[in-house]
């Protein structure tokens, strides 16, 4: 059973805390919708730190493999997850101020009870391609020479059947 972590995000950043672990993909219901196969797991590292201006941040690093569905042939598609992002922790009262600045930094609201699993799931969802397809040459439809149009009517039909 996966132990769900909740952290006080600002405190976590100030102390430079770090947690490491693995989470099965089955623990991420929103991600499940995107997957062809529910199996797999993600290794994660969440670390608290400060940027050069002393602003509290969380660094999230994830590695793993999930299986998406190719939007062309609808077969499984191995999709490696390897991402690392730094998220500025912003107090509720500062949100407006920050969004008006031309700061490229991703930010999340500071939370005393931050759900680490939800954060990980968000990061993965954000990183997934809108429509995953096999690289040309390995896709079934392309190999069969039936990929005449951008979106094969067969793939569309099969997609409807799966709904
Ligand atoms: Zn394909």
């Amino acid at each position: 059973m996966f132990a769900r972590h909740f952290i006080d995000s600002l405190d976590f950043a100030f102390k430079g805390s770090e947690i490491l672990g693995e989470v099965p993909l089955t623990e991420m219901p929103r991600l499940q919708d995107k997957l062809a196969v529910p199996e797999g797991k993600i290794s994660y590292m969440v670390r608290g730190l400060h940027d050069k201006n002393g602003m509290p941040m969380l660094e999230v690093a994830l590695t793993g493999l999930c299986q998406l569905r190719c939007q062309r042939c609808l077969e499984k598609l191995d999709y490696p997850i390897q991402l690392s992002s730094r998220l500025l922790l912003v107090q509720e009262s500062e949100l407006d101020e920050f969004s008006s600045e031309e700061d490229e930094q991703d930010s999340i609201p500071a939370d005393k009870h931050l759900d680490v699993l939800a954060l990980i799931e968000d990061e993965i969802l954000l990183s997934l391609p809108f429509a995953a397809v096999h690289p040309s040459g390995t896709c079934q439809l392309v190999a069969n020479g039936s990929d005449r149009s951008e979106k094969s009517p067969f793939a569309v039909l099969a997609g409807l059947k799966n709904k």
Side-chain angles (χ1 to χ4, degrees):
M1 196 54 197
F2 173 73
R4 215 173 171 115
H5 283 286
F6 291 92
I7 57 172
D8 178 337
S9 55
L10 282 179
D11 188 57
F12 193 85
F14 282 122
K15 288 181 177 156
S17 305
E18 183 178 303
I19 51 174
L20 297 164
E22 274 188 347
V23 54
L25 293 174
T26 46
E27 296 290 332
M28 297 186 254
R30 286 175 293 148
L31 184 62
Q32 286 295 314
D33 292 348
K34 313 269 181 194
L35 303 179
V37 180
E39 291 134 38
K41 57 190 171 187
I42 299 291
S43 300
Y44 65 88
M45 188 277 294
V46 179
R47 193 160 67 93
L49 71 161
H50 292 86
D51 73 0
K52 55 184 186 305
N53 301 317
M55 298 299 293
M57 306 178 82
L58 291 184
E59 181 178 12
V60 183
L62 307 172
T63 54
L65 182 75
C66 65
Q67 298 198 308
L68 304 177
R69 197 171 287 285
C70 171
Q71 295 305 303
R72 195 152 46 194
C73 68
L74 299 170
E75 289 298 318
K76 287 184 296 189
L77 165 67
D78 283 348
Y79 187 80
I81 290 174
Q82 188 130 41
L83 60 101
S84 169
S85 38
R86 291 187 166 197
L87 305 164
L88 202 57
L89 295 170
V90 184
Q91 307 266 21
E92 200 82 35
S93 57
E94 299 171 331
L95 274 178
D96 291 343
E97 187 187 327
F98 269 94
S99 52
S100 61
E101 284 174 20
E102 91 256 32
D103 200 334
E104 294 287 297
Q105 185 67 51
D106 289 331
S107 62
I108 55 170
D111 190 341
K112 280 198 181 312
H113 199 63
L114 178 74
D115 184 343
V116 174
L117 178 58
L119 177 67
I120 292 169
E121 189 173 12
D122 283 340
E123 288 300 304
I124 296 173
L125 284 168
L126 284 172
S127 76
L128 293 182
F130 178 69
V133 289
H134 288 117
S136 54
T138 63
C139 189
Q140 297 288 332
L141 279 187
V142 176
N144 294 339
S146 53
D147 188 37
R148 295 280 150 72
S149 60
E150 264 299 289
K151 198 159 198 180
S152 156
F154 300 112
V156 174
L157 275 180
L160 289 175
K161 261 191 280 179
N162 282 347
K163 286 238 161 92

